[in-house]
Amino acid sequence: MAARPTHSARSTKPAALYGSRRMSIQRTTIATTVQAMQRAFTAEELHRAVTAEAPGIGLATVYRAIGAMQSAGSLVSVGERDGSALLALCARHDHHHHLVCTECGAVVAIDCPIDDATVRAAARSGHLVTDHQIILYGICADCRTQTEGS
Amino acid sequence: MAARPTHSARSTKPAALYGSRRMSIQRTTIATTVQAMQRAFTAEELHRAVTAEAPGIGLATVYRAIGAMQSAGSLVSVGERDGSALLALCARHDHHHHLVCTECGAVVAIDCPIDDATVRAAARSGHLVTDHQIILYGICADCRTQTEGS
DNA sequence: TCTTAAGTGAGAGTGGTTCTCACTTGAGGA
DNA sequence: TCCTCAAGTGAGAACCACTCTCACTTAAGA
């Protein structure tokens, strides 16, 4: 299993995060704000950050932009916090999962730990695994070095 | 990885599903209904099933009973369906996960596929895995034999 | 029986998310 | 440079799963 940052999407153009042709000022602001986010965030946190940048952008607009980015595959849901969906920017399009740092909220892409052996073992019991959903929680490399340094 | 039914709780007394001493008629009805459930269910589905059995039992009572059974560890959340939490009876108290059958909704306990190798590989990238959440979707043994039989 | 705290039903409240509607605006074509 | 039109927007209502409150009931131990 290899772990690498999810964040190459940070350097792509805002428009690339959506699946549509048309780019409004609001969507550009939202995309830029998402790219500036250093960790996983909720829709409400994103709305707060966006309105700090450009007051007047509605919550519904933020939700619509989130939906568009999720459809385009540039934004993924990585669990939840206090009943709200936790979102993160992710440029990887191959099959993978995410490790959410419980210290700082950073999200790291992780290769899928479900291997052939797992699927075969399930098959031995008569079950067929067709899909799965995995979220890993832990402490990221940065937080570990910080903790060990102090 | 071994897979085995989650359902030994089906044969236990209703009172054993809750962590408390006191048993009301409502809680007994709810526990019996849960034990009769052949698959994963939502709170609303349970409420419908319970009121079919004993009309007048309130939704809040069902939610309170679900909370008590979850605290007691006899009922677990195994994902979600249409925005509602998906619940299932489970008697296993060791570390494990669940396979939800996409055909019939049956739930099967599955040993944890996250092994030492996975954790060590994450550690090699500097990350420490402290917790995880896994839901497997697939087709259970019964549904497979049915499909192959027809 | 009595006491008492746990449990109950009804319904209001909460909070995240989605929908509606009238209005605005970006982008492509003439 | 207009014109057209569909995509996008803001405000706020609506939706929905779930929780809380409150007056009342009841199980269980003394």
Side-chain angles (χ1 to χ4, degrees), chain B residues 28-142:
Chain B
T28 306
T29 307
I30 293 167
T32 310
T33 308
V34 164
Q35 286 176 320
M37 290 277 196
Q38 298 298 313
R39 52 204 63 187
F41 53 88
T42 63
E44 204 219 321
E45 282 165 6
L46 176 59
H47 183 228
R48 265 208 304 276
V50 164
T51 48
E53 200 71 26
I57 294 181
L59 182 59
T61 301
V62 170
Y63 270 107
R64 278 185 290 242
I66 287 170
M69 285 188 275
Q70 282 184 319
S71 298
S74 52
L75 197 68
V76 292
S77 174
V78 292
E80 67 161 43
R81 185 168 60 210
D82 303 332
S84 307
L86 211 47
L87 306 158
L89 202 57
C90 182
R92 273 185 74 170
H93 289 288
D94 61 328
H95 180 73
H96 68 285
H97 301 285
H98 296 95
L99 181 141
V100 184
C101 178
T102 51
E103 296 289 314
C104 69
V107 174
V108 179
I110 297 273
D111 287 345
C112 181
I114 303 278
D115 54 6
D116 282 357
T118 304
V119 175
R120 273 202 307 277
R124 233 175 290 136
S125 309
H127 312 290
L128 178 68
V129 177
T130 54
D131 196 11
H132 58 269
Q133 193 184 312
I134 300 179
I135 302 163
L136 299 163
Y137 296 97
I139 300 170
C140 71
D142 287 355

Side-chain angles (χ1 to χ4, degrees), chain A residues 65-130:
Chain A
I66 287 170
M69 285 188 275
Q70 282 185 319
S71 298
S74 51
L75 199 68
V76 291
S77 175
V78 292
E80 67 162 44
R81 184 166 63 209
D82 303 331
S84 308
L86 211 47
L87 306 159
L89 201 57
C90 182
R92 272 185 76 169
H93 290 287
D94 61 328
H95 180 72
H96 68 285
H97 300 287
H98 296 96
L99 180 142
V100 183
C101 178
T102 51
E103 296 289 314
C104 69
V107 174
V108 179
I110 297 273
D111 287 345
C112 181
I114 304 276
D115 53 7
D116 282 357
T118 305
V119 176
R120 272 201 306 274
R124 232 174 290 135
S125 309
H127 311 290
L128 178 67
V129 177
T130 55

Side-chain angles (χ1 to χ4, degrees), chain A residues 34-60:
Chain A
V34 164
Q35 285 176 321
M37 290 277 195
Q38 297 298 313
R39 52 205 63 189
F41 54 87
T42 64
E44 205 218 322
E45 282 164 7
L46 177 59
H47 182 228
R48 265 208 304 276
V50 163
T51 47
E53 200 71 27
I57 293 180
L59 182 59

